[in-house]
């Protein structure tokens, strides 16, 4: 069961780099773990709260609907995440990086449950420009996951097929994406995801 929950909703790794950031928390009994899973699940779906959870100024996440309009609700399939990362933004993204929410998948079996949110780099929904407005190509994915197995809760970010996006019509964007993508492959994005997955599992009063 644990292997299935780890892998079933994570796209396969084929090209480029991959990243796996996992945090674990254990409870004295299954009831406590079940209650905390519901809290962690809500935190995962509340994208607008990610920056506060992570407790870091590395990036800011804002949820939008399928038209690119800012919304204040839990994430849904077809939504976009508008990401403001440090440094120059992309021209194609009007200063931001954009990903589209591709799938939200839930699983439940006796003694175990999981929810996964997979996003993929996308074009700017507010623009007619079809260029991918992200420093990674649209082949890349990030899967954010919370799962419970017995009395253990796991939070994770699984990056797959990470390649720098240097195929846009804007030379400036291509240079910017190459530099940011290069930094990501060197592990500079790891602290951000580490902070986020740790935040998903922190005590409510902290």
């Amino acid at each position: 069961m644990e292997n299935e929950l780890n892998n079933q909703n994570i796209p396969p790794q084929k090209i480029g780099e991959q990243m796996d950031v996992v945090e674990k928390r254990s409870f004295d009994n299954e009831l406590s773990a079940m209650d905390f899973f519901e809290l962690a699940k809500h935190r995962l779906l509340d994208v607008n709260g990610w920056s506060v959870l992570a407790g870091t100024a590395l990036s800011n996440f804002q949820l939008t609907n399928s038209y690119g309009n800012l919304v204040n609700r839990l994430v849904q399939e077809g939504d976009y995440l508008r990401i403001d990362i440090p440094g120059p933004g992309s021209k194609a993204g009007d200063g931001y990086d954009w990903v589209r929410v591709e799938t939200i998948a839930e699983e439940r079996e006796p003694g175990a449950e999981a929810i996964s949110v997979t996003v993929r780099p996308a074009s700017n929904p507010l623009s007619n420009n079809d260029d991918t407005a992200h420093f990674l190509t649209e082949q890349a994915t990030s899967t954010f996951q919370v799962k419970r197995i017995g009395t253990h809760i796991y939070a994770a970010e699984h990056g797959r097929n990470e390649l720098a996006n240097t195929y846009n019509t804007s030379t400036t964007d291509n240079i910017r994406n190459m530099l940011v993508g290069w930094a990501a492959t060197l592990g500079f994005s790891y602290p951000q995801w580490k902070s986020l997955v740790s935040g998903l599992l922190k005590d409510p009063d902290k």
Side-chain angles (χ1 to χ4, degrees), residues 26-99:
S26 299
F27 292 82
D28 293 333
N29 57 74
E30 193 165 1
L31 182 60
S32 296
M34 292 170 66
D35 287 342
F36 193 86
F37 174 81
E38 292 301 320
L39 172 62
K41 172 183 171 180
H42 185 273
R43 287 171 168 173
L44 176 65
L45 298 176
D46 183 19
V47 171
N48 290 337
W50 283 8
S51 299
V52 175
L53 271 183
T56 172
L58 290 178
S59 294
N60 184 64
F61 300 88
Q62 176 65 57
L63 183 68
T64 83
N65 61 18
S66 59
Y67 301 101
N69 300 316
L70 301 180
V71 291
N72 187 22
R73 56 164 170 74
L74 300 184
V75 65
Q76 301 174 6
E77 288 185 358
D79 285 344
Y80 286 82
L81 275 59
R82 193 188 74 181
I83 309 168
D84 187 6
I85 70 173
S90 73
K91 180 180 179 182
D94 292 327
Y96 301 99
D97 288 82
W98 293 83
V99 295

Side-chain angles (χ1 to χ4, degrees), residues 101-129:
V101 181
E102 196 165 79
T103 59
I104 299 176
E106 293 193 65
E107 302 170 81
R108 290 184 184 274
E109 293 186 14
E113 51 196 329
I115 182 167
S116 304
V117 179
T118 297
V119 303
R120 185 183 298 275
S123 58
N124 180 357
L126 297 174
S127 170
N128 292 324
N129 187 343

Side-chain angles (χ1 to χ4, degrees), residues 6-7 10-11 13 17-23 143 155-160 162 190 193-194 197:
N6 273 329
N7 300 320
I10 302 171
Q13 172 67 20
E17 302 296 325
Q18 75 174 63
M19 179 178 293
D20 296 282
V21 186
V22 182
E23 286 287 302
T143 299
E157 188 275 337
H158 301 285
R160 293 293 182 268
E162 297 181 340
Y190 184 90
W193 300 135
K194 183 73 169 180
V197 299

